[in-house]
């Protein structure tokens, strides 16, 4: 448990709370008093849910919940209109979705305008929450090592997407106009899916994607910030 003395109005100006690796089973509702908090780092605990008070952290920009036991998220999470990074990798969200505990509209509120990076990898998900398609600023979608058979058909609405890692899933196809709609997408990883490279190369808009990919790699090489370059097409041989 979090010590009682760690919450309260005295901590209203707290900017970062690093609670990682403490075997915490729950967070108290009193974390809502951390109204100035920018970063809440709770990875590597034993959390099964979050208090609704997380919705009171109006200044929160980064929320790390990796490696817990979360099956659901409070609907109040949708109020976090300044949150840019949400790390949910290594949890149990598939269980919550299977039992209808997980609200599929959790990403539909104010958070949909602010979030730039979402990581839901390693959750045994068979589908992504439908509200993923409501994001308007999302740049990075990380969903590798799940059991996804398909992306949401309207994922192309997330026109801000630049990076998608869907490696090690069960994808056999992509939404028909994905490469046409995602005009900023320049990096996609699909290794470990039962999908053929030839299928990708025939997809509408794929040539434009490959050109953006080439420009991104060239920029990295010119800036001398890249080591080994993986030239496999989206990780597919």
């Amino acid at each position: 448990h979090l010590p009682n003395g760690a919450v309260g109005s005295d901590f209203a100006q707290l900017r970062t709370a690093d609670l990682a690796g403490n075997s915490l089973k729950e967070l108290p509702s009193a974390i809502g008093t951390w109204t100035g908090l920018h970063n809440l780092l709770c990875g590597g605990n034993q959390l099964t849910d979050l208090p609704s008070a997380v919705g009171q952290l109006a200044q929160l920009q980064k929320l790390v919940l990796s490696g817990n036991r979360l099956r659901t998220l409070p609907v109040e999470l949708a109020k976090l209109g300044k949150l840019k990074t949400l790390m949910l990798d290594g949890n149990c969200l598939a269980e919550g979705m299977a039992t209808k505990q997980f609200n599929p509209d959790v990403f539909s509120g104010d958070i949909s305008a602010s979030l730039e990076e979402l990581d839901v990898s390693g959750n045994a998900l068979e589908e992504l929450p439908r509200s993923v398609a409501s994001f308007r600023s999302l740049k990075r979608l990380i969903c590798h090592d799940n059991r996804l058979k398909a992306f949401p058909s309207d994922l192309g609405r997330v026109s801000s997407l630049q990076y998608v890692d869907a490696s090690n899933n069960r994808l056999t196809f992509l939404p028909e106009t994905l490469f046409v709609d995602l005009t900023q997408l320049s990096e996609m990883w699909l290794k470990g899916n039962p999908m053929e490279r030839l299928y990708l190369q025939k997809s509408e808009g794929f040539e434009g994607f490959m050109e953006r990919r080439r420009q991104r790699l060239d920029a990295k090489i010119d800036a001398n910030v890249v080591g080994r370059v993986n030239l496999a097409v989206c990780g597919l041989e």
Side-chain angles (χ1 to χ4, degrees):
H1 293 278
L2 205 60
N4 291 332
V7 291
S9 56
D10 290 347
F11 293 89
Q13 299 307 311
L14 186 68
R15 291 293 180 263
T16 296
D18 188 348
L19 310 176
N22 278 291
S23 301
L24 295 173
K25 294 184 177 179
E26 62 180 13
L27 295 178
S29 294
I31 65 166
T33 59
W34 294 343
T35 51
L37 200 67
H38 287 181
N39 307 294
L40 179 54
L41 315 176
C42 298
N45 284 293
Q46 299 171 25
L47 304 174
T48 56
D49 57 22
L50 294 177
S52 58
V54 73
Q56 298 171 29
L57 306 179
Q59 302 303 314
L60 200 64
Q61 297 177 22
K62 183 175 185 177
L63 178 55
V64 177
L65 296 161
S66 312
N68 279 282
R69 301 174 182 174
L70 296 171
R71 294 178 177 83
T72 185
L73 299 170
V75 293
E76 290 80 7
L77 192 74
K79 298 178 182 178
L80 300 181
K82 293 191 176 180
L83 194 68
K84 294 184 181 299
T85 302
L86 178 57
M87 310 298 283
L88 293 165
D89 49 302
N91 279 282
C92 308
L93 297 182
E95 293 180 29
M97 292 186 73
T99 58
K100 308 297 185 185
Q101 290 175 282
F102 188 96
N103 185 335
D105 295 321
V106 70
F107 301 130
S108 294
D110 295 342
I111 192 175
S112 67
S114 64
L115 202 71
E116 296 180 358
E117 179 173 5
L118 175 66
D119 188 342
V120 291
S121 57
N123 272 281
L125 292 170
E126 295 186 2
E127 61 181 345
L128 293 175
R130 64 189 181 212
S131 53
V132 162
S134 66
F135 287 123
R136 302 196 293 279
S137 301
L138 195 69
K139 296 178 181 177
R140 294 173 59 86
L141 175 60
I142 304 165
C143 53
H144 59 77
D145 292 286
N146 281 295
R147 300 173 184 170
L148 301 175
K149 296 179 180 177
F151 281 137
S153 59
D154 53 355
L155 185 63
R157 290 171 48 194
V158 190
S159 57
S160 53
L161 267 178
Q162 299 175 10
Y163 176 98
V164 175
D165 185 351
S167 307
N168 301 321
N169 278 284
R170 301 174 182 177
L171 299 168
T172 57
F173 67 98
L174 298 175
E176 191 171 337
T177 59
L178 191 71
F179 290 116
V180 175
D181 298 332
L182 298 182
T183 56
Q184 297 189 54
L185 186 69
S186 64
E187 190 167 0
M188 176 177 256
W189 296 104
L190 294 166
K191 182 179 180 180
N193 285 281
M195 186 182 295
E196 306 240 340
R197 185 171 76 172
L198 187 60
Y199 162 78
L200 273 190
Q201 292 172 326
K202 290 181 177 179
S203 298
E204 187 180 0
F206 187 72
E207 288 185 8
F209 162 75
M210 289 299 287
E211 175 60 21
R212 292 190 299 274
R213 176 178 179 269
R214 185 191 64 76
Q215 291 174 3
R216 175 181 57 79
L217 288 174
D218 285 350
K220 276 189 170 185
I221 292 169
D222 290 345
N224 200 29
V225 295
V226 64
R228 178 175 171 270
V229 178
N230 187 341
L231 295 176
V233 177
C234 299
L236 300 177
E237 297 301 331

